[in-house]
Amino acid sequence: MTTPTPTHADLAVWLAEAAQAVSGIVTARHDTSPSRSHLHPVLGPLTAGPQVITALADRLEDLLDARLPTTPATLFALASYASALGWLSESLADLTQAVGLLVSEAALPVDATAIATGEAEDLSGYALQDRQAITALAAEAALPPGRYLQILGQALLASAEFTGACTEITGALTEDAHRLLDESVSVVRLGGEGPDSLPTLVRSLLVRMETAR
């Protein structure tokens, strides 16, 4: 039995749904105990990311198993989808590694006296009320305030880098979905002349590879 050829609109919907799933990762929230408040910026994406990747991978496997007709538009959509999934998986692996390092750093032995006194010299640039709040949070996490702020800052940076990747992936999937809809009457040229015939993320990956040389 031959699988019906998906329309350009069908293909665009697949990419749009993937884009929506990826965008949801960066807004995911995870309840954080006071003892782990320094990891709060990364716990939501770290929890939601694997679930989204699994769902997208299962969806891609279903599409491949369906043995869809190999039209240029179908190949274009599958290439975009697969590139997004690969990029997302790599970005989540980087985030996971960063969080692992932060957990290890937080677990290093600390001087109990430093936790109790609040290491005032590390908070000299903050207002009194802010110093008190930071000291209280650091005490809950059993960390000196200086180390608490350092780990929190690194968590924010890791979260920002992962968010940036997700934003780029979401934008590229959305752009490719629009390209499919815009060319719904004509043929989408996977192997046409010029880089614009390739999916957005594929072009981005090629640019990065060229830059890395």
Side-chain angles (χ1 to χ4, degrees), residues 48-75:
Q51 299 172 359
V52 172
I53 288 178
T54 298
L56 293 181
D58 289 345
R59 177 60 170 154
L60 179 60
E61 186 174 347
D62 290 342
L63 293 174
L64 295 175
D65 288 344
R67 300 184 180 277
L68 299 172
T70 55
T71 63
T74 301
L75 294 176

Side-chain angles (χ1 to χ4, degrees), residues 41-97:
V42 294
L43 292 183
L46 192 64
T47 302
Q51 299 172 359
V52 172
I53 288 178
T54 298
L56 293 181
D58 289 345
R59 177 60 170 154
L60 179 60
E61 186 174 347
D62 290 342
L63 293 174
L64 295 175
D65 288 344
R67 300 184 180 277
L68 299 172
T70 55
T71 63
T74 301
L75 294 176
F76 177 95
L78 289 175
S80 177
Y81 199 106
S83 297
L85 179 59
W87 200 321
L88 179 61
S89 298
E90 181 182 353
S91 298
L92 182 64
D94 291 341
L95 178 65
T96 302
Q97 182 179 22

Side-chain angles (χ1 to χ4, degrees), residues 96-116:
T96 302
Q97 182 179 22
V99 173
L101 293 174
L102 294 179
V103 171
S104 297
E105 186 174 344
L108 292 175
V110 295
D111 183 354
T113 303
I115 298 176

